Amino acid sequence: MTSMFDQFEQASLKAKSNISTAEMCTSLFINMSLEQEVPIFTKSKKDFTPSDRITHVVIANKNLVIAMANGVLFRMNLNNPQQYTEISLTKYTTTNKLSNLYLDPTGSHLLLTFAQKTPEGGPELLYLSKKSDKLRSTTKFRGIEFTEVAWNNLNESENTTGPILLGTSKGLIFETEIVLEGEKFFTSSFSSGLEQYWRQVFDIGKGTNTPITGLEYYRIPGSFRYVIFATTPSRFYYFSGKANLEEKPVLQQIFSKYLNIPEPKTYFECEGNLRNSKLQFWSENLTVPNTFAWTTEKGICFGQIDLHSDDIETIKSKKKLVLYPKPVYEDYSVSQKYPVTIALTQFHILLAYTDSIKGVCLLNQEVIYEDNYNEAFGKLVNTVKDIRTGDIWAVTENAVFRFKVTREERNVWQIFCNNGDFELAKKYSRSNEACYNHVLIKEADLLFNQKEYELSAQRYAETQSSFEEICLKFIEADQPGALKLFLRSKLDTLKPQDKSQITMIVIWVVELYLSKLEEKRLAGLEQTAAYSEIQKEFETFLALEEVSDCVRNNKRTIYDLMASHGDKHNLMKLTIVNKDFEQLIRQHIFKNSFLDALEVLKSQTSYELYYQFAPILIQEVPKYMIKVIIEQGKKLAPLKLLPALVSCNGDLHALEVMKYLEFCIDKLKNTDKAIHNFLLSLYAKYDSQKLMEYLNSQGQEISMVNYDVHFALRLCHESNQKRACVQIFGLLGLWESAVDLALTYELDLAKKMANMSPENDTELRKKLWLKIDILLNKFFVAQHVVKDKDNIKDVMEFLKQCDLIRIEDILPFFPDFLTIDHFKEAICNSLKEYNQYIQNIKDEMEEATNSAEQVRDEIQTFRNHYTLINSTDTCEICTGILLIKPFYMFSCHHKFHSDCLTSELSQFLGPAKKNRLADLERQLKILNNQTNIDSVSTGSAGMSARDMVKSEIDNILASECLYCGENMIRNIDKPFIEDYEHDQIIKEWE
């Protein structure tokens, strides 16, 4: 993956505040500690000084109860030390001795047991409620010495204890329920005390003095099933079963079924007879226990609890014996010291002696904590674990200490790892990356040494060990299968951004799969189930998202790998899966499967591939390829396909290419010159008829054709396509060349070209027809027809074909021996036409003379025409009195002041007239300023210069009425409001 130096740097950045001190066997992590570790167990003394020596103590749910040597019972809430009460026990300690205190988990119910001290006294059980300072006697249990109490752990009431079990010094177990007065739900003449009910439910002692040293019971959450634990100095009892909560006593139902079961099936025994043995449980969720610790004469019996089993053998099989720590001195004459009490945590146990406390790890039996108490604090009275809070308290005769447990699980992973319990080791090392990696490596090494290579490969993949080192181990062990599994598993641990590592691993795994498949093929096992299994596994690997992405990014390398192993099958499949149609088409072409390649080309949507593979496919399968590209229609650009089309040779290829080009022109309406030129070249070479059809379809307007006319002319000339050349000559306007060439090829074609020449160019048309008459082997028409055939009728027919040629035009070409009789009819017809033409001219001249005379009469009449103007007439433009200024009046009776008309009309005049009008006005102004100019006459009409200028101005201004003339019609679509006036007028209207 990364180099060793990179790994070292990453480890430095990832180092946490505390990395395990265990020896790491990988170079990825640095064995360091940045700060001093806090001990697992630390104690702190509370600010509390008892009034006398403490003799007994219990703590539950932050409630402290101590009994002192002065006969005072002290109660205090640890959350609020100011709240405390003191109760005198002198009344009971005179004849009896306080033997123990029992406080329920809620801290609400307290039982005090007293042993006989004087002959007058006797064993007694007292009850004290948290809500009261008055001790209550339990009348039903007088005379019985109790050694253990099993509280109801699910009870939360302050008024009732719920069903509880009481163990005696003689091995008897009683069930009862204590209810405060006023909370009783069952009263009778037989139940006048605190006990709601009481019943002996089991007898362990069988009449012997076998005390109950430990007693607990639990209800399994969500069920009616109960489990009961009881211990004596040498035995551990386990009872389980279902009970009806409505039926009292409740727990007696559990014990009832064991009355008929042999007693050995209810317990397991530990050699010894420790009268002060203790039983304690550790619970993860405070409802049911997970582990237990039982002090015996031989040591601490520690084990796991399976509450779903009814057989004590299950517990017995999971227990182990933890020896008591040896004293620091080696004096074997001193007898073994046994703890006064214990406090159990998840992985450790605190052993309380009268003068010290020792913390022992239950997993490896090492002493990890030791604390001695001096005379100032007095002897150790008890260590108490608050079940509800998990706090551990140590109480001496004169002081109270609280223990703090700090990350006791910090090193247990190493113990589990050394013991081979890797699952638990991983569970407790996940918070420390270095430790977790150490566990994985240990497990992987063990599996590798046991030759379980595939399992070890999975574990190695999870570690941060050197990638190269692990790979070399499997290579040296000749385990390619395990190496492949390691690489695949390592691939799952990489992040998407680790592209280089992913690429390397994917290519390596592909190589391993291909090598295995090749090995099977060479051995002839291609059709076996083993080969199919490897193939299926390979395909599954390639289908992974990160693998498929890598293959797409490095497909050339993967394809080369497959090709080097000769695995064409997987190569084809991979190209299909990755939709690498280019490679797939190449493979088909490589196998000469051109139709298959064409099918793949049709199935994909990348049109670039059409351009890429068109040359080879058109060359090999022209008919099918042309059909495919025609089906694509406008999706393909004909110009991009042109190189492939041009590269084709042969009649068959040309025929198919012409089909496509015709499709482009006829259906797609393509106008690219290159396409048209190429089609025209194919027509010129292979199909003269289609060439002429194409030229005719393009028309005779040179600006409208889509091909290069000069290129087409040269091409047709080289291909000896005379008819086409004639038509192109005509397109270029080279009519004489067209007729000359047509005369060498076909007379009718020459006539056609002569008729197609411009009609307005009479001289050209006449010249062309004369060429038809006289050219082509020295006057082909006249001499050939007359001399060789003497057929004057043919000549006459020829004259009828063109109305520009007359008999006189061709007479010079006839021989001298011909007489007038041969042309009598033609000459007469020609003379008649001339006579008719002269008569028409005479008629036109007479009509023109009459028209001129009529115009002169109208002019004379108009000179005598007049119009009356009233003094009230106004100008049509300014509405002012008309007679106050020079004016114009039109025959339509519209009247305008001269300056008004000039101003209004100037905007409609063209630039030339506008400039001329301005120039004339300037000349008129100059002439008006001259004094004797009127006496000077100029011009043939005898008009003065001023009158001539004024007449020209009148011609411009008064040629037509402003409102009735053509100018108004031409400007009918002009808006009334100019664009620059629009905004202003809109505002005025608002």
Side-chain angles (χ1 to χ4, degrees):
M1 314 306 291
T2 56
S3 67
M4 192 173 296
F5 296 104
D6 292 337
Q7 295 174 6
F8 188 90
E9 184 178 2
Q10 292 172 9
S12 301
L13 295 175
K14 293 181 180 179
K16 297 185 179 180
S17 61
N18 179 26
I19 300 181
S20 174
T21 57
E23 181 182 356
M24 298 298 145
C25 59
T26 173
S27 60
L28 179 59
F29 297 98
I30 306 170
N31 186 13
M32 58 166 32
S33 180
L34 302 182
E35 62 180 26
Q36 186 177 4
E37 282 190 336
V38 178
I40 294 177
F41 294 102
T42 55
K43 73 173 184 178
S44 59
K45 184 178 180 297
K46 294 301 176 182
D47 186 15
F48 172 74
T49 303
S51 59
D52 203 345
R53 178 174 57 88
I54 299 174
T55 59
H56 299 83
V57 60
V58 286
I59 301 175
N61 199 22
K62 294 289 186 178
N63 291 288
L64 169 69
V65 181
I66 59 176
M68 294 179 284
N70 58 3
V72 174
L73 185 69
F74 179 86
R75 296 188 300 178
M76 181 177 69
N77 188 333
L78 293 173
N79 285 331
N80 189 3
Q82 288 75 27
Q83 293 182 1
Y84 65 89
T85 58
E86 294 183 350
I87 302 172
S88 176
L89 300 177
T90 307
K91 175 182 177 182
Y92 303 98
T93 57
T94 303
T95 57
N96 290 327
K97 177 183 177 182
L98 179 65
S99 57
N100 215 337
L101 301 175
Y102 302 97
L103 187 62
D104 82 311
T106 65
S108 301
H109 309 283
L110 176 68
L111 290 177
L112 301 86
T113 59
F114 290 88
Q116 186 176 3
K117 180 178 178 181
T118 64
E120 293 80 12
E124 190 171 1
L125 179 67
L126 300 180
Y127 170 76
L128 179 63
S129 173
K130 181 180 179 180
K131 301 190 296 183
S132 173
D133 294 338
K134 181 180 179 181
L135 291 167
R136 306 289 296 276
S137 176
T138 55
T139 57
K140 301 296 187 299
F141 297 115
R142 281 182 182 164
I144 302 174
E145 183 179 355
F146 292 99
T147 55
E148 272 298 327
V149 176
W151 295 102
N152 184 350
N153 288 286
L154 299 179
N155 179 56
E156 297 293 336
S157 174
E158 295 183 355
N159 300 316
T160 177
T161 62
I164 61 175
L165 296 177
L166 303 175
T168 70
S169 59
K170 296 185 179 296
L172 300 177
I173 299 177
F174 290 87
E175 179 183 349
T176 186
E177 181 177 358
I178 298 176
V179 180
L180 296 180
E181 199 76 28
E183 294 291 336
K184 294 182 181 180
F185 53 83
F186 175 78
T187 57
S188 67
S189 59
F190 301 101
S191 179
S192 57
L194 290 171
E195 304 87 345
Q196 181 66 30
Y197 64 88
W198 65 279
R199 185 74 55 85
Q200 178 184 326
V201 293
F202 205 73
D203 183 3
I204 291 177
K206 308 296 182 184
T208 63
N209 291 325
T210 304
I212 302 293
T213 59
L215 188 61
E216 291 281 350
Y217 85 89
Y218 298 91
R219 179 184 171 187
I220 308 301
S223 69
F224 298 101
R225 188 167 175 271
Y226 291 83
V227 292
I228 303 172
F229 302 92
T231 59
T232 65
S234 60
R235 292 179 180 178
F236 184 100
Y237 288 84
Y238 175 69
F239 309 94
S240 68
K242 293 184 178 181
N244 184 0
L245 297 177
E246 303 298 328
E247 183 179 344
K248 306 294 182 178
V250 177
L251 300 175
Q252 184 181 20
Q253 303 171 52
I254 309 300
F255 289 104
S256 296
K257 76 172 186 178
Y258 288 94
L259 297 177
N260 299 321
I261 296 176
E263 188 178 9
K265 292 187 177 182
T266 62
Y267 69 87
F268 64 84
E269 195 166 6
C270 187
E271 185 179 350
N273 189 22
L274 183 63
R275 304 291 291 183
N276 193 31
S277 70
K278 300 295 181 182
L279 175 66
Q280 199 166 107
F281 297 89
W282 178 82
S283 174
E284 184 175 7
N285 53 16
L286 302 179
T287 55
V288 292
N290 299 93
T291 58
F292 73 92
W294 173 41
T295 57
T296 66
E297 190 173 338
K298 294 295 182 181
I300 305 167
C301 184
F302 169 75
Q304 304 290 325
I305 299 175
D306 184 4
L307 298 178
H308 299 287
S309 174
D310 291 335
D311 190 359
I312 195 170
E313 292 298 326
T314 305
I315 299 177
K316 185 177 179 180
S317 63
K318 296 181 179 181
K319 71 178 180 63
K320 66 177 181 178
L321 188 65
V322 178
L323 300 179
Y324 293 118
K326 293 180 180 181
V328 293
Y329 46 82
E330 297 293 335
D331 186 358
Y332 293 100
S333 62
V334 179
S335 60
Q336 174 69 50
K337 291 178 63 177
Y338 299 103
V340 177
T341 183
I342 60 174
L344 181 65
T345 65
Q346 185 175 5
F347 301 109
H348 300 84
I349 185 170
L350 289 177
L351 304 176
Y353 300 90
T354 56
D355 57 351
S356 65
I357 291 181
K358 293 182 179 181
V360 179
C361 179
L362 294 169
L363 302 179
N364 60 2
Q365 304 185 26
E366 291 184 3
V367 178
I368 64 161
Y369 175 78
E370 188 168 1
D371 185 31
N372 296 314
Y373 293 86
N374 54 35
E375 295 181 357
F377 298 136
K379 293 182 179 180
L380 188 65
V381 177
N382 198 359
T383 55
V384 184
K385 182 177 180 180
D386 191 333
I387 297 176
R388 291 295 175 94
T389 63
D391 295 334
I392 299 176
W393 303 83
V395 181
T396 65
E397 291 178 335
N398 300 315
V400 176
F401 299 90
R402 179 184 176 183
F403 279 90
K404 181 180 181 181
V405 183
T406 306
R407 294 179 53 241
E408 64 167 328
E409 75 285 356
R410 69 183 71 170
N411 294 323
V412 297
W413 66 269
Q414 190 174 5
I415 300 172
F416 287 126
C417 183
N418 294 335
N419 294 336
D421 195 346
F422 296 109
E423 291 304 318
L424 287 175
K426 287 185 282 187
K427 175 182 178 181
Y428 292 106
S429 63
R430 289 186 187 276
S431 60
N432 190 313
E433 192 173 351
C435 300
Y436 185 70
N437 186 67
H438 177 74
V439 175
L440 292 174
I441 293 175
K442 284 288 187 182
E443 182 182 13
D445 288 342
L446 179 63
L447 292 171
F448 187 88
N449 294 332
Q450 294 174 351
K451 297 186 177 181
E452 296 184 19
Y453 296 111
E454 293 190 355
L455 288 177
S456 67
Q458 293 177 353
R459 292 296 174 269
Y460 276 129
E462 299 176 24
T463 69
Q464 299 296 327
S465 298
S466 170
F467 177 81
E468 299 86 349
E469 179 184 346
I470 303 304
C471 292
L472 285 173
K473 290 184 71 169
F474 289 115
I475 293 173
E476 291 172 356
D478 192 21
Q479 294 295 322
L483 175 60
K484 179 174 62 181
L485 183 60
F486 167 71
L487 294 173
R488 290 196 59 175
S489 300
K490 198 68 177 177
L491 185 64
D492 295 336
T493 64
L494 296 176
K495 298 177 181 178
Q497 55 265 31
D498 300 330
K499 295 189 180 299
S500 300
Q501 295 91 327
I502 291 174
T503 301
M504 183 188 70
I505 290 178
V506 168
I507 294 176
W508 198 346
V509 173
V510 169
E511 169 68 23
L512 291 174
Y513 274 116
L514 292 175
S515 298
K516 189 67 175 178
L517 290 171
E518 184 181 17
E519 179 185 336
K520 293 288 185 182
R521 286 197 302 274
L522 294 176
L525 303 176
E526 191 171 359
Q527 303 301 324
T528 62
Y531 184 90
S532 300
E533 185 65 25
I534 298 173
Q535 177 65 33
K536 184 178 180 181
E537 186 180 341
F538 184 35
E539 291 174 359
T540 303
F541 172 73
L542 292 177
L544 297 175
E545 182 179 358
E546 62 272 21
V547 175
S548 61
D549 291 342
C550 178
V551 169
R552 278 194 295 272
N553 296 330
N554 303 274
K555 57 185 177 182
R556 177 53 57 192
T557 303
I558 301 298
Y559 293 156
D560 291 343
L561 269 179
M562 291 182 172
S564 67
H565 286 276
D567 197 340
K568 294 182 180 179
H569 174 73
N570 278 314
L571 185 56
M572 296 286 286
K573 275 196 170 184
L574 183 61
T575 54
I576 294 172
V577 169
N578 292 328
K579 296 183 179 181
D580 191 357
F581 298 106
E582 178 182 354
Q583 186 65 26
L584 185 57
I585 294 171
R586 289 186 186 276
Q587 292 300 317
H588 283 305
I589 293 175
F590 178 75
K591 296 191 301 182
N592 293 329
S593 300
F594 300 107
L595 292 179
D596 292 337
L598 190 56
E599 288 299 321
V600 175
L601 186 63
K602 288 169 57 179
S603 65
Q604 55 86 43
T605 57
S606 176
Y607 298 106
E608 290 299 324
L609 295 183
Y610 282 89
Y611 310 131
Q612 183 176 349
F613 293 104
I616 183 66
L617 293 177
I618 290 179
Q619 191 68 38
E620 298 297 334
V621 283
K623 181 177 181 180
Y624 299 101
M625 183 59 186
I626 293 298
K627 181 181 178 182
V628 168
I629 60 177
I630 287 177
E631 290 174 354
Q632 298 302 317
K634 292 184 178 180
K635 297 176 183 177
L636 296 177
L639 283 179
K640 290 186 177 182
L641 288 171
L642 194 58
L645 301 174
V646 172
S647 64
C648 296
N649 294 316
D651 296 349
L652 178 60
H653 294 87
L655 180 62
E656 298 300 328
V657 170
M658 282 192 290
K659 283 184 181 178
Y660 176 66
L661 296 177
E662 289 168 355
F663 168 77
C664 293
I665 294 173
D666 298 338
K667 302 297 183 181
L668 302 183
K669 306 301 180 184
N670 188 282
T671 58
D672 295 321
K673 277 196 174 183
I675 299 297
H676 285 263
N677 288 341
F678 184 43
L679 178 60
L680 191 144
S681 67
L682 293 176
Y683 282 156
K685 188 175 182 180
Y686 296 103
D687 197 331
S688 300
Q689 181 180 352
K690 286 191 174 181
L691 173 63
M692 295 309 301
E693 292 176 358
Y694 170 76
L695 293 176
N696 292 331
S697 67
Q698 290 292 302
Q700 287 298 116
E701 180 59 44
I702 192 170
S703 62
M704 300 298 292
V705 298
N706 295 309
Y707 58 89
D708 188 329
V709 180
H710 298 88
F711 168 77
L713 180 60
R714 180 173 60 82
L715 199 64
C716 293
H717 178 71
E718 292 174 355
S719 302
N720 198 31
Q721 298 287 349
K722 293 184 177 180
R723 178 181 287 273
C725 288
V726 170
Q727 186 153 339
I728 296 174
F729 275 135
L731 183 63
L732 290 170
L734 303 175
W735 300 105
E736 294 187 36
S737 299
V739 171
D740 289 342
L741 182 59
L743 288 174
T744 66
Y745 176 68
E746 183 180 345
L747 179 61
D748 291 338
L749 181 59
K751 296 176 182 178
K752 178 180 177 182
M753 297 309 297
N755 283 328
M756 291 175 60
S757 62
E759 295 182 358
N760 57 353
D761 194 346
T762 306
E763 292 298 325
L764 174 62
R765 289 174 63 85
K766 184 175 181 179
K767 186 177 181 180
L768 295 177
W769 280 102
L770 286 175
K771 279 180 176 289
I772 296 173
D773 292 340
I774 63 177
L775 294 180
L776 189 58
N777 295 326
K778 292 185 179 181
F779 315 112
F780 170 77
V781 175
Q783 292 187 355
H784 178 75
V785 171
V786 175
K787 291 184 178 180
D788 295 344
K789 295 185 179 180
D790 290 330
N791 193 346
I792 303 303
K793 291 183 178 179
D794 291 342
V795 178
M796 297 303 105
E797 289 296 328
F798 175 76
L799 290 176
K800 293 179 180 178
Q801 295 179 14
C802 180
D803 54 357
L804 298 178
I805 303 299
R806 300 285 184 244
I807 186 63
E808 58 269 27
D809 295 324
I810 64 173
L811 281 176
F813 305 111
F814 285 96
D816 295 337
F817 61 84
L818 289 178
T819 62
I820 195 66
D821 294 338
H822 294 89
F823 308 103
K824 180 178 180 180
E825 184 179 357
I827 292 174
C828 291
N829 291 335
S830 179
L831 291 174
K832 289 180 180 180
E833 289 179 3
Y834 278 120
N835 289 332
Q836 184 62 41
Y837 176 70
I838 293 171
Q839 186 61 41
N840 291 338
I841 292 176
K842 286 182 178 181
D843 294 340
E844 290 177 0
M845 290 176 63
E846 185 176 356
E847 184 179 354
T849 301
N850 294 333
S851 296
E853 187 66 28
Q854 184 177 358
V855 168
R856 280 194 291 270
D857 294 340
E858 289 180 357
I859 290 174
Q860 186 63 35
T861 303
F862 184 75
R863 286 178 178 176
N864 298 325
H865 182 74
Y866 63 92
T867 301
L868 295 178
I869 297 176
N870 297 322
S871 60
T872 58
D873 288 344
T874 59
C875 175
E876 301 290 343
I877 296 174
C878 67
T879 67
I881 299 300
L882 184 65
L883 296 177
I884 63 175
K885 290 190 292 185
F887 62 89
Y888 289 98
M889 182 172 180
F890 296 91
S891 58
C892 59
H893 300 290
H894 284 125
K895 299 173 283 291
F896 308 95
H897 286 142
S898 177
D899 54 351
C900 292
L901 181 62
T902 302
S903 175
E904 189 72 17
L905 189 62
S906 61
Q907 58 182 324
F908 301 111
L909 296 176
K913 284 189 176 183
K914 188 178 293 186
N915 294 333
R916 181 59 181 165
L917 178 61
D919 184 52
L920 292 172
E921 288 178 343
R922 188 167 49 255
Q923 294 181 23
L924 181 62
K925 185 175 181 181
I926 293 173
L927 294 173
N928 287 334
N929 293 331
Q930 295 178 0
T931 55
N932 298 323
I933 195 66
D934 291 336
S935 61
V936 181
S937 298
T938 61
S940 59
M943 295 179 63
S944 65
R946 180 177 177 278
D947 291 338
M948 292 178 66
V949 172
K950 194 171 184 309
S951 176
E952 191 171 353
I953 291 175
D954 291 342
N955 289 336
I956 295 174
L957 296 178
S959 59
E960 59 182 2
C961 177
L962 176 65
Y963 292 161
C964 301
E966 292 182 1
N967 184 66
M968 182 59 68
I969 297 173
R970 286 194 299 269
N971 293 278
I972 194 171
D973 58 345
K974 183 178 180 182
F976 293 108
I977 301 174
E978 297 295 338
D979 292 340
Y980 64 87
E981 299 176 330
H982 183 268
D983 294 339
Q984 180 181 355
I985 293 175
I986 290 296
K987 290 181 179 179
E988 292 176 357
W989 286 354
E990 290 178 352

Short mmCIF file of all heavy atoms in Angstrom, two decimals, residues 281 319 409 428:
data_model
loop_
_atom_site.label_atom_id
_atom_site.label_comp_id
_atom_site.label_asym_id
_atom_site.label_seq_id
_atom_site.Cartn_x
_atom_site.Cartn_y
_atom_site.Cartn_z
N PHE A 281 -22.07 -10.35 42.90
CA PHE A 281 -22.34 -10.41 41.46
C PHE A 281 -21.97 -9.08 40.80
O PHE A 281 -21.99 -8.03 41.45
CB PHE A 281 -23.82 -10.72 41.19
CG PHE A 281 -24.26 -12.05 41.72
CD1 PHE A 281 -24.74 -12.20 43.01
CD2 PHE A 281 -24.20 -13.18 40.92
CE1 PHE A 281 -25.14 -13.42 43.49
CE2 PHE A 281 -24.60 -14.42 41.39
CZ PHE A 281 -25.07 -14.54 42.68
N LYS A 319 -16.74 -21.80 35.32
CA LYS A 319 -16.09 -21.20 36.49
C LYS A 319 -14.60 -21.51 36.47
O LYS A 319 -14.13 -22.44 35.81
CB LYS A 319 -16.72 -21.71 37.78
CG LYS A 319 -16.39 -23.16 38.10
CD LYS A 319 -16.99 -23.58 39.40
CE LYS A 319 -16.66 -25.04 39.73
NZ LYS A 319 -15.21 -25.28 39.91
N GLU A 409 -10.87 -1.67 31.92
CA GLU A 409 -10.74 -2.57 30.77
C GLU A 409 -9.53 -2.24 29.90
O GLU A 409 -9.32 -2.87 28.86
CB GLU A 409 -12.00 -2.51 29.92
CG GLU A 409 -12.18 -1.27 29.06
CD GLU A 409 -12.61 -0.03 29.85
OE1 GLU A 409 -12.84 -0.18 31.08
OE2 GLU A 409 -12.71 1.05 29.27
N TYR A 428 -12.39 -5.42 23.45
CA TYR A 428 -11.91 -4.46 24.43
C TYR A 428 -10.71 -3.65 23.96
O TYR A 428 -10.14 -2.89 24.74
CB TYR A 428 -11.57 -5.18 25.74
CG TYR A 428 -12.79 -5.74 26.43
CD1 TYR A 428 -13.05 -7.10 26.42
CD2 TYR A 428 -13.70 -4.89 27.04
CE1 TYR A 428 -14.19 -7.62 27.02
CE2 TYR A 428 -14.83 -5.39 27.65
CZ TYR A 428 -15.08 -6.76 27.64
OH TYR A 428 -16.21 -7.24 28.23
#
